[in-house]
Amino acid sequence: MTARGIRDEPDADDLDVEEALALVKDQPHPGRAGEHVPAPATGADSPDDRHTGDRHGGTDRRSGGRNGGTDRRSDGRNGGADTPGDSGRSGRSGRDTRHARHKATPWPEARAIAARAGRARAGRDTTVSVSLTDALGLSLAAPLTAFTDLPSFDTSAMDGWAVAGPGPWDVRETGVLAGNAEPEPLSDGEAVRIATGARVPADTTAVLRSEHGRTDDKDRLHATREIVPGQDIRPRGQECRKGDQLLAAGALVTPAVLGLAAAAGYDTLTAVRRPRVDLLVLGDELLTEGLPREGLIRDALGPLLPPWLRALGAEVTSVRRLGDDAEALYTAVTTSEADLIVTTGGTAAGPVDHVHPTLRRIGAELLVDGVKVRPGHPMLLARLKEDQHLVGLPGNPLAAVSGLLTLAEPLLRALAAHPVPERYSLPLRDAVHGHPHDTRLVPVVLRGDQAVPLHYNGPAMLRGIAAADALAVVPPGGAAQGRETEMLDLPWATGGIGVCFT
């Protein structure tokens, strides 16, 4: 995909056009004939760096591109249209918008803002009672307290014989199986065949394992090993007593937690419900099937985002393709009852980029408007209501993934009361180019104790992330070979229970 300025040879530099532009400092460059075009600014709030490439699947709508013959130069002048990066304010006729620049939010701060927004909402009308079958992946909203002793009666830990007193022992004809009613007590010198998990008869001294006993010609049982009183018996309450707290509120419901809850007597669990997400896919240029044709491209985000959102613990309540229709977007946003609305594309300031105007129209509060991260710089987070937020993702696929992990993931994790994953770092096997001022998220595969950066990591590319185990968080300026770099795991790469594709 050279349209985004990325060479696709396996050993090519992985700088994209945005980063290449940002590396040019104070160098004049030619514009159209007879026109002076300012040199690309390099600051974090530079419009050249900001809303570049905000459409789906490789359609290049950089701020220096053309749209219908209108020159959308990097200085943001477009007949009074909204200037990229001016916090969504409309440009006024005759006004030089080159200086109407907002400062994008640093990447770590943007993630923290998203998490705080989710925590502010968490706990408000989000508690549900669900069956064990439906609880996997939720967080407990109340402590898990034992309803009974575990085990609830003395239990054989092995197949063998329950014996009373010293041997040899006379063996009863009828044995004791798991699930049987309480057996008759044993007398000294008496034994009975017993199965693992069966209730131990009263007055049992120990359980003699099958391989540690033999019978003589008079059918009397002898031990071939020394017997210790209480051996191979799980006494009542060994694991817990009724009323003991087994897990605290906030614990993630894993398969093992389901088993523990069932053993402790639960049929349902009180949990934090999954955050509800409506996904709005924007763009007239998107196809849902077949090959790209006549300027139309395949929608990559419609198939990609719903399962990824589910893997983050969300319930995707609807997926709607709206095209570039401002009224349809307004109606979809104002009628949604979801906790989070996710939009794709339209977060820049072009003539068909309707997200900012819609947010202004409804009086939304912009919490994050642009992030110092590559790809995905023009992402945004807005509070629509006290209990509803919107995350605007850029339209290019890898840029959208960046926005998903930067803003949607911390917000959804907080809404679902999921624990914050422990941060970890790995050394990079190869050096990674950096942006002068912004964080970069680069797909990597994990090999032993190293992270191997992948090529095909441009904003419009999915080839790298499709093969990745994680994203490396590359600081401004880049990272040298061997540098310890923070990793963001992908849900399915860790084998976590968060992966839910149904």
Side-chain angles (χ1 to χ4, degrees):
M1 288 188 183
T2 56
R4 294 293 302 168
I6 302 228
R7 291 174 289 177
D8 56 6
E9 293 83 9
D11 59 347
D13 289 345
D14 54 359
L15 283 175
D16 63 18
V17 166
E18 300 166 345
E19 291 145 350
L21 286 173
L23 289 172
V24 179
K25 297 186 178 181
D26 302 322
Q27 296 296 319
H29 62 283
R32 294 179 299 178
E35 176 187 51
H36 172 71
V37 181
T42 59
D45 55 347
S46 162
D48 297 288
D49 290 347
R50 188 173 303 108
H51 293 298
T52 55
D54 185 42
R55 302 304 289 173
H56 300 260
T59 300
D60 188 1
R61 299 176 66 201
R62 296 187 293 273
S63 54
R66 297 180 180 88
N67 187 3
T70 301
D71 184 11
R72 302 172 64 207
R73 297 185 299 274
S74 59
D75 63 3
R77 291 172 289 178
N78 186 17
D82 293 355
T83 178
D86 67 351
S87 298
R89 295 186 295 271
S90 296
R92 296 186 180 91
S93 177
R95 172 185 168 196
D96 185 353
T97 60
R98 282 176 292 179
H99 302 292
R101 301 169 179 174
H102 81 284
K103 198 171 184 65
T105 305
W107 183 78
E109 183 181 337
R111 283 173 58 83
I113 290 171
R116 286 197 298 271
R119 286 195 296 271
R121 163 65 180 150
R124 300 179 187 173
D125 304 321
T126 59
T127 299
V128 292
S129 179
V130 294
S131 67
L132 297 187
T133 304
D134 297 326
L136 183 66
L138 303 183
S139 291
L140 295 177
L144 189 72
T145 303
F147 288 160
T148 182
D149 297 343
L150 285 181
S152 54
F153 45 79
D154 292 349
T155 304
S156 177
M158 293 287 171
D159 292 332
W161 296 270
V163 299
W169 302 274
D170 294 322
V171 181
R172 288 182 184 172
E173 291 185 4
T174 304
V176 181
L177 301 176
N180 284 175
E182 184 176 2
E184 291 294 324
L186 290 176
S187 302
D188 280 356
E190 193 175 22
V192 64
R193 269 283 185 184
I194 195 166
T196 301
R199 190 167 187 162
V200 171
D203 301 325
T204 295
T205 301
V207 170
L208 178 65
R209 299 184 185 189
S210 296
E211 60 269 28
H212 296 164
R214 64 173 180 82
T215 54
D216 59 21
D217 55 2
K218 296 181 180 179
D219 291 330
R220 290 174 61 82
L221 176 65
H222 298 261
T224 59
R225 299 276 185 92
E226 181 182 358
I227 290 182
V228 177
Q231 77 178 29
D232 291 327
I233 294 175
R234 292 187 63 214
R236 177 175 181 166
Q238 181 185 49
E239 187 168 2
C240 67
R241 289 292 185 180
K242 180 180 179 180
D244 285 351
Q245 180 174 306
L246 307 177
L247 292 170
L252 190 65
V253 179
T254 65
V257 170
L258 293 176
L260 175 62
Y266 284 80
D267 298 318
T268 62
L269 290 174
T270 301
V272 179
R273 67 166 172 79
R274 300 183 192 279
R276 298 182 297 254
V277 176
D278 283 346
L279 175 62
L280 308 179
V281 181
L282 311 182
D284 287 340
E285 73 275 27
L286 302 179
L287 295 169
T288 58
E289 60 183 13
L291 294 174
R293 62 183 184 273
E294 300 172 350
L296 303 177
I297 58 173
R298 280 296 297 271
D299 170 27
L301 296 181
L304 180 153
L305 288 173
W308 202 317
L309 289 164
R310 293 186 191 106
L312 295 177
E315 175 190 353
V316 179
T317 46
S318 71
V319 178
R320 300 178 61 187
R321 291 175 169 82
L322 303 182
D324 288 318
D325 186 326
E327 285 303 314
L329 177 60
Y330 172 79
T331 300
V333 169
T334 54
T335 59
S336 171
E337 297 181 355
D339 303 296
L340 174 63
I341 301 168
V342 175
T343 63
T344 70
T347 57
V352 292
D353 292 333
H354 300 305
V355 175
H356 279 95
T358 299
L359 295 176
R360 290 195 299 271
R361 182 178 176 184
I362 65 178
E365 178 187 2
L366 273 172
L367 304 178
V368 175
D369 188 13
V371 178
K372 293 181 180 181
V373 67
R374 305 292 166 150
H377 198 42
M379 66 182 73
L380 62 85
L381 169 64
R383 180 183 290 117
L384 308 183
K385 305 173 186 175
E386 185 180 10
D387 59 352
Q388 187 180 57
H389 291 82
L390 181 145
V391 168
L393 302 178
N396 275 322
L398 189 57
V401 168
S402 174
L404 190 68
L405 295 178
T406 300
L407 297 177
E409 187 270 339
L411 178 67
L412 289 171
R413 184 179 64 238
L415 286 174
H418 283 178
V420 178
E422 185 176 351
R423 295 175 60 178
Y424 76 100
S425 299
L426 287 175
L428 295 172
R429 193 193 70 177
D430 307 313
V432 176
H433 293 290
H435 187 277
H437 313 288
D438 296 355
T439 300
R440 279 194 72 199
L441 301 182
V442 177
V444 296
V445 291
L446 308 183
R447 294 292 180 264
D449 60 352
Q450 288 186 318
V452 182
L454 296 170
H455 296 282
Y456 306 104
N457 53 32
M461 296 182 177
L462 285 171
R463 188 170 170 181
I465 193 68
D469 299 318
L471 288 171
V473 182
V474 178
Q481 180 183 13
R483 175 167 176 172
E484 291 276 339
T485 305
E486 182 182 352
M487 297 290 141
L488 295 179
D489 279 325
L490 303 180
W492 45 88
T494 60
I497 60 93
V499 178
C500 177
F501 295 108
T502 58

